[in-house]
Amino acid sequence: MSWEQIERPVLGHRIGGHVVMRGEGALAVEDPCSARPYGEIPIASAAEVDAAVAAAKAAFRAPAWRQLAPLARERLLHKLADAIEADAPHMAALEALDTGRPIALTETVDIPGACAWLRTYAGWPTKLHGRAGSLAAATIPHHAYVRREPVGVVAAITPWNFPLILSLFKTAPALAAGCTVVLKPAPETPLTALRLAELALQVGFPPGVLNVVLGDGASTGAALVTHPDVAKIAFTGSTATGQAILGASVPELKRVTLELGGKSPSIICADADLARAIPEAAMACFFNSGQVCYAGTRLYVHRSQYEAVLQGLAEVAGTLKLGPSWSRDSALGPLISARQRDKVDGLVSRARASGIAEVGPRGAAPEHGHYYAPTILRDVPPEAEIAREEVFGPVLAVTAFDDVDEAIAMANDSVYGLAAHVWTRDLRIAHHASARLEAGTVFVNCMLLADPSFPFGGMKKSGIGRENGAEVFDAYLETKSVVIALN
């Protein structure tokens, strides 16, 4: 059995409500569980990108969208969430096929998460108010007020690890703000983005409000981020690509938010509840086969608990069955591609060659597909490559510490600052570590929570700006002051 026979959207761009098959060349897309292609996508050239941006710009200016009442935008977002819920088995299967993630997870994480983001932001259109006030230094009477207006066309560029949810990190608040969107999914995972665009059209979003262009970064992505009519770029992906996007945005001074790489630390303190900390620290790294931007891939353990934690981690790793996305017995799926698997294996091989020891034997992996079993490395020096480079695979680097400030210092010794995890029973340590850790999000006695109500993003090379929460609207709304003389 596989997902290869599931009904799939036509693999073409969605521009102005139409399916467009044009492009310069094509890219194969495959099921990572079998390493077999199931189709190919056209690579959008500058012409297709220009058509998508033009459709979004026209829709942004058209009364059907621009003059839509806030409550009507709210209803559309709720109707889109309703449509996803009604199509949930299909959407979950599409996400499982594209990503290799087990169907039990796409059903319980991806689809409910997508609906949660839509429903949260559905409540915002009627809350995006400006303000009225008085001028501080004027000597004659004026009426002054502030408007908050949508920025215009948004380019949303998303990665392959959580295609649907990360698309809605961007599209849900953008649409709530009244913007229009050109969404470019990762070339490896186009299916749920295409289905999202189909459902949006079906529930009543005007054509051109949500467009999808398929393709690579070098051609399609570059044309999109440099397009003069794109006002805002929202990107999730690698730090190197984010830096290139930031540079490309300079000539037009586009608004940019970047959620980039991570090498997130976890700290298990001497007083931690190990029955909770060990499995959570393990899954903070191994969930989704380590393909999580804020995965806890560096683990610092108090020396008094070090050996017990290592043993417990190995036991957890041994219970995680690797298998295809269609099997409900699978706990972990494959990595996204052969290229990604080779990258992960290269980092681990170099670590072992440098003398870093592996804890316990690795679990069995299916013969076909891009699988990589959870791997635990012990006594990892802070300066080691495996402790500093983002792996994006199920590889956990473990190091002992004697004092919590030592652990915090090692945690902060990184170019990244996306997230951090701390396990302790002591509230003083919890607040002290949370204040000192250089990370956009600190989780205490929990792990890998993402919620539309709270801002998410990184410090240092982990990004610029924030997604989610009320803070996200700073990127999708322009602030305009209006001053009217009354004399």
Side-chain angles (χ1 to χ4, degrees):
M1 180 182 176
S2 74
W3 296 121
E4 293 180 14
Q5 301 305 313
I6 191 170
E7 181 182 354
R8 300 188 297 270
V10 175
L11 294 177
H13 320 295
R14 301 299 192 269
I15 298 175
H18 302 288
V19 177
V20 177
M21 302 302 297
R22 296 187 304 272
E24 292 185 350
L27 292 170
V29 283
E30 67 175 21
D31 175 0
C33 298
S34 64
R36 292 198 302 267
Y38 64 78
E40 60 181 27
I41 59 170
I43 301 173
S45 68
E48 287 75 52
V49 169
D50 188 61
V53 174
K57 184 177 179 180
F60 178 70
R61 292 179 170 177
W65 182 249
R66 189 63 180 262
Q67 295 178 17
L68 194 65
L71 273 176
R73 280 209 310 278
E74 175 180 323
R75 283 195 294 271
L76 281 177
L77 288 164
H78 277 303
K79 286 175 70 175
L80 183 53
D82 292 341
I84 291 174
E85 287 178 343
D87 198 42
H90 182 214
M91 290 283 277
L94 292 176
E95 197 80 331
L97 167 59
D98 256 359
T99 64
R101 189 156 44 255
I103 185 65
L105 290 177
T106 61
E107 288 175 340
T108 58
V109 175
D110 299 77
I111 306 310
C115 295
W117 258 260
L118 281 167
R119 295 203 188 282
T120 296
Y121 285 102
W124 275 100
T126 57
K127 319 300 188 298
L128 298 174
H129 303 303
R131 63 181 177 86
S134 301
L135 299 181
T139 58
I140 58 175
H142 293 81
H143 174 51
Y145 61 95
V146 175
R147 291 174 53 86
R148 301 183 77 192
E149 301 176 352
V151 296
V153 178
V154 173
I157 304 175
T158 54
W160 41 256
N161 56 335
F162 289 92
L164 181 59
I165 290 178
L166 292 178
S167 293
L168 289 166
F169 268 35
K170 297 159 178 54
T171 57
L175 296 174
C179 300
T180 55
V181 177
V182 179
L183 170 62
K184 182 202 166 298
E188 297 88 348
T189 53
L191 294 179
T192 49
L194 295 174
R195 185 61 178 152
L196 181 69
E198 290 178 351
L199 293 176
L201 204 61
Q202 289 176 17
V203 301
F205 281 86
V209 170
L210 176 58
N211 309 273
V212 178
V213 291
L214 306 175
D216 59 10
S219 298
T220 310
L224 187 56
V225 301
T226 57
H227 198 289
D229 289 332
V230 169
K232 163 75 172 70
I233 302 167
F235 172 76
T236 298
S238 73
T239 295
T241 302
Q243 290 169 323
I245 287 173
L246 188 61
S249 73
V250 170
E252 302 289 339
L253 295 178
K254 300 180 190 298
R255 291 177 176 234
V256 178
T257 51
L258 304 171
E259 194 267 282
L260 307 178
K263 190 68 181 175
S264 297
S266 296
I267 300 173
I268 296 181
C269 298
D271 69 322
D273 176 2
L274 296 188
R276 178 176 190 173
I278 290 172
E280 289 188 350
M283 294 311 297
C285 178
F286 299 146
F287 177 70
N288 198 36
S289 295
Q291 298 171 119
V292 180
C293 56
Y294 59 121
T297 54
R298 292 183 290 151
L299 176 59
Y300 302 104
V301 182
H302 192 272
R303 199 172 303 276
S304 65
Q305 307 282 16
Y306 191 66
E307 296 300 332
V309 168
L310 286 174
Q311 180 180 346
L313 293 170
E315 291 172 356
V316 172
T319 67
L320 300 174
K321 181 180 178 182
L322 278 69
S325 57
W326 48 261
S327 172
R328 294 189 177 275
D329 293 332
S330 300
L332 300 178
L335 300 183
I336 193 67
S337 65
R339 176 183 175 185
Q340 183 64 21
R341 190 192 183 285
D342 290 345
K343 175 195 170 186
V344 173
D345 193 54
L347 285 161
V348 173
S349 296
R350 290 192 295 275
R352 295 178 66 183
S354 72
I356 295 173
E358 198 169 321
V359 178
R362 293 188 209 172
E367 181 180 356
H368 300 290
H370 310 307
Y371 295 91
Y372 201 88
T375 301
I376 303 164
L377 302 173
R378 63 171 296 153
D379 306 329
V380 177
E383 68 277 6
E385 178 192 38
I386 200 74
R388 307 195 74 81
E389 296 296 323
E390 184 175 36
V391 177
F392 230 64
V395 180
L396 183 58
V398 190
T399 304
F401 71 88
D402 296 297
D403 177 80
V404 69
D405 285 326
E406 176 194 5
I408 292 170
M410 289 191 290
N412 288 341
D413 184 20
S414 172
V415 298
Y416 298 111
L418 192 52
H421 303 82
V422 179
W423 284 271
T424 179
R425 289 184 171 100
D426 191 330
L427 281 176
R428 294 169 301 173
I429 294 175
H431 289 296
H432 172 71
S434 298
R436 293 277 306 281
L437 286 164
E438 296 168 358
T441 303
V442 178
F443 299 102
V444 179
N445 297 329
C446 58
M447 57 91 183
L448 297 187
L449 291 175
D451 189 276
S453 295
F454 282 82
F456 178 76
M459 300 179 179
K460 299 186 279 190
K461 287 188 176 181
S462 285
I464 294 174
R466 292 294 181 269
E467 295 190 302
N468 306 334
E471 290 80 358
V472 72
F473 288 109
D474 292 340
Y476 295 110
L477 294 170
E478 292 282 12
T479 299
K480 177 188 289 184
S481 296
V482 180
V483 181
I484 302 174
L486 296 180
N487 64 314

